[in-house]
DNA sequence: GCCCAGGCACTCA
DNA sequence: TGAGTGCCTGGG
């Protein structure tokens, strides 16, 4: 991977396995706005980033080398060798081979723990546009103004202390619905140190999952999302309805299979790459509506 | 108006 | 230990 400085921009060339839209729109994060094709505003780590593709390069607009190296390199997971991960997954499994070919430019983002935790608590029983709206509402109300792009104001996701001032009724006004009390419980546990990501480093993935599930509104699915997208646990395998469908469809003869069974088979098959496999499969399943009712289903491989 | 969405808590057997 | 049910909200 190579980058150079060009005026106020950092320009990334000679990279692989990265397509902005595939990485942002594969359901792992909620803090981005599409400006046009391969041109996005991204909010992360208290910064507003304008990122776009230009003649095969990726431009990080108005970005210092310090921010690029200190924030974005890690956020977009550019230090990881995705070629070998994709080869490993594809070589042993035809389904994965197809799923990887379908979206070879997905990278697993390294998001902020607290933001990721609250965002995926909000995600339960909810749709992506709605999740984005709720996270944005919370940021606008409790976060800090960080900039304007194309006439749109952007706000950072609040620190735990800032969000702790929120009453349940106020969170409801942000359209969190029944999840408001879950958010309050999560904030309390983070501030008290009851939930402390620094302590996680010495724990196994199963132990971290149990810790996270002490928070109200955090079950196995949300815990695995938080571990995969913000704690670098690549063996986490978030099993939501789509992953359940795609796994049942391809590995269990289309039979409705319990999440526990799916979870175990994923770990047996993919091991420490389970999280990457999940992301390729999830994207593939959602795009082709694999396993959804016939009305919604489109034919695999015809698009 | 009804149904459901990237789950989870709660209840009851 | 597992199955069944309700949940804010808004778009189809």
């Amino acid at each position: 991977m190579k980058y150079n400085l060009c005026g106020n921009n950092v320009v990334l060339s000679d990279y692989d396995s990265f397509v902005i839209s595939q990485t942002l729109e594969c359901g792992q994060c909620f803090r981005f706005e599409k400006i046009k094709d391969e041109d996005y505003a991204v909010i992360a780590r208290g910064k507003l980033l304008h990122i776009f593709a230009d003649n095969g390069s990726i431009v990080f607009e108005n970005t210092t080398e310090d921010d690029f190296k200190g924030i974005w390199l890690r956020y977009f997971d550019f230090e990881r060798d995705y070629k070998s991960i994709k080869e490993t997954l594809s070589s042993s499994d035809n389904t994965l081979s197809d799923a990887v070919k379908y979206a070879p430019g997905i990278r697993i983002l390294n998001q902020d723990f607290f933001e990721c935790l609250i965002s995926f608590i909000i995600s339960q029983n909810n749709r992506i546009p709605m999740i984005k709206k709720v996270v944005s509402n919370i940021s606008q109300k409790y976060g800090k103004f960080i900039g304007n792009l194309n006439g749109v104001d952007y706000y950072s996701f609040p620190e735990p202390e800032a969000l702790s001032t929120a009453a349940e009724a106020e969170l409801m006004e942000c359209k969190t619905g029944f999840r408001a009390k879950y958010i309050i419980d999560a904030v309390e546990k983070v501030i008290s140190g009851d939930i402390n990501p620094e302590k996680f480093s010495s724990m196994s993935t199963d132990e971290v999952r149990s810790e996270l599930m002490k928070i109200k509104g955090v079950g196995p699915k949300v815990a695995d999302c938080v571990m995969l997208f913000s704690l670098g646990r690549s063996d986490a395998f978030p099993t939501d309805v789509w992953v359940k469908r795609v796994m049942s469809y391809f590995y269990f003869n289309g039979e409705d299979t319990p999440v526990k069974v799916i979870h175990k088979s994923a770990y047996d098959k993919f091991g420490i790459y389970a999280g990457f496999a999940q992301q390729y499969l999830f994207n593939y399943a959602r795009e082709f509506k694999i396993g959804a009712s016939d009305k919604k289903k489109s034919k695999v491989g015809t698009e």
Side-chain angles (χ1 to χ4, degrees):
Chain A
M1 191 206 68
K2 274 185 205 152
Y3 69 89
N4 45 22
L5 307 176
C6 195
N8 290 329
N9 303 337
V10 174
V11 179
L12 179 63
S13 54
D14 190 27
Y15 60 94
D16 67 85
S17 311
F18 182 60
V19 176
I20 303 170
S21 58
Q22 289 177 10
T23 292
L24 293 176
E25 311 236 24
C26 68
Q28 60 176 323
C29 73
F30 308 103
R31 298 284 278 156
F32 62 89
E33 292 301 328
K34 182 175 178 175
I35 295 165
K36 55 181 194 279
D37 282 352
E38 300 309 321
D39 186 335
Y40 286 82
V42 174
I43 310 101
R45 306 281 176 187
K47 299 271 183 182
L48 169 63
L49 170 68
H50 182 197
I51 183 172
F52 54 93
D54 182 38
N55 278 328
S57 294
I58 303 288
V59 179
F60 295 70
E61 197 178 65
N62 283 329
T63 300
T64 64
E65 186 174 16
D66 281 352
D67 276 358
F68 181 73
K69 284 163 73 176
I71 298 174
W72 304 117
L73 212 57
R74 169 143 178 79
Y75 181 74
F76 289 104
D77 210 23
F78 282 122
E79 287 150 320
R80 195 188 301 274
D81 179 5
Y82 276 73
K83 270 187 185 165
S84 71
I85 292 172
K86 290 189 288 188
E87 273 171 25
T88 305
L89 289 173
S90 299
S91 64
S92 60
D93 189 306
N94 288 334
T95 301
L96 252 301
S97 172
D98 289 344
V100 165
K101 271 184 224 152
Y102 181 69
I106 292 179
R107 281 173 176 266
I108 304 273
L109 299 171
N110 293 298
Q111 301 179 60
D112 173 70
F113 168 74
F114 180 66
E115 174 173 349
C116 198
L117 173 63
I118 302 299
S119 299
F120 279 95
I121 286 174
I122 292 165
S123 79
Q124 70 167 271
N125 208 218
N126 218 339
R127 292 185 176 87
I128 291 173
M130 199 57 200
I131 301 165
K132 288 178 72 177
K133 194 184 278 181
V134 175
V135 174
S136 166
N137 289 343
I138 288 176
S139 301
Q140 196 167 342
K141 196 158 177 177
Y142 302 99
K144 291 184 185 138
F145 174 75
I146 50 171
N148 180 294
L149 190 59
N150 278 13
V152 181
D153 286 342
Y154 289 94
Y155 296 82
S156 65
F157 193 82
E159 298 293 317
E161 290 71 21
L163 198 50
S164 71
T165 63
E168 187 174 340
E170 292 171 333
L171 288 172
M172 296 286 280
E173 285 170 20
C174 297
K175 307 294 180 190
T176 57
F178 63 90
R179 310 161 193 88
K181 47 178 159 314
Y182 302 158
I183 294 172
I184 288 173
D185 188 56
V187 170
E188 276 174 8
K189 287 193 164 73
V190 169
I191 287 186
S192 71
D194 206 0
I195 295 292
N196 180 0
E198 286 175 20
K199 285 196 274 186
F200 293 161
S201 53
S202 61
M203 295 182 186
S204 71
T205 296
D206 284 341
E207 287 168 339
V208 176
R209 182 182 299 110
S210 304
E211 277 296 297
L212 291 173
M213 283 172 61
K214 288 179 183 167
I215 300 167
K216 283 205 185 84
V218 176
K221 182 336 189 129
V222 170
D224 275 36
C225 283
V226 174
M227 288 196 293
L228 179 59
F229 303 135
S230 75
L231 296 173
R233 299 283 175 152
S234 65
D235 55 339
F237 191 82
T239 308
D240 55 47
V241 289
W242 289 104
V243 174
K244 187 169 181 282
R245 282 174 191 155
V246 73
M247 289 291 287
S248 298
Y249 185 87
F250 285 113
Y251 300 106
F252 296 93
N253 296 317
E255 280 170 40
D256 191 31
T257 309
V259 171
K260 271 190 176 173
V261 178
I262 287 176
H263 215 264
K264 184 178 183 312
S265 85
Y267 192 73
D268 291 345
K269 274 183 213 304
F270 312 126
I272 56 160
Y273 292 150
F276 300 99
Q278 185 272 354
Q279 209 55 27
Y280 295 119
L281 288 170
F282 170 73
N283 191 65
Y284 194 55
R286 203 176 52 148
E287 203 62 30
F288 292 113
K289 305 204 185 315
I290 289 170
S293 67
D294 289 339
K295 233 196 305 191
K296 293 177 187 169
K297 199 187 292 182
S298 61
K299 235 180 173 177
V300 176
T302 53
E303 286 188 19

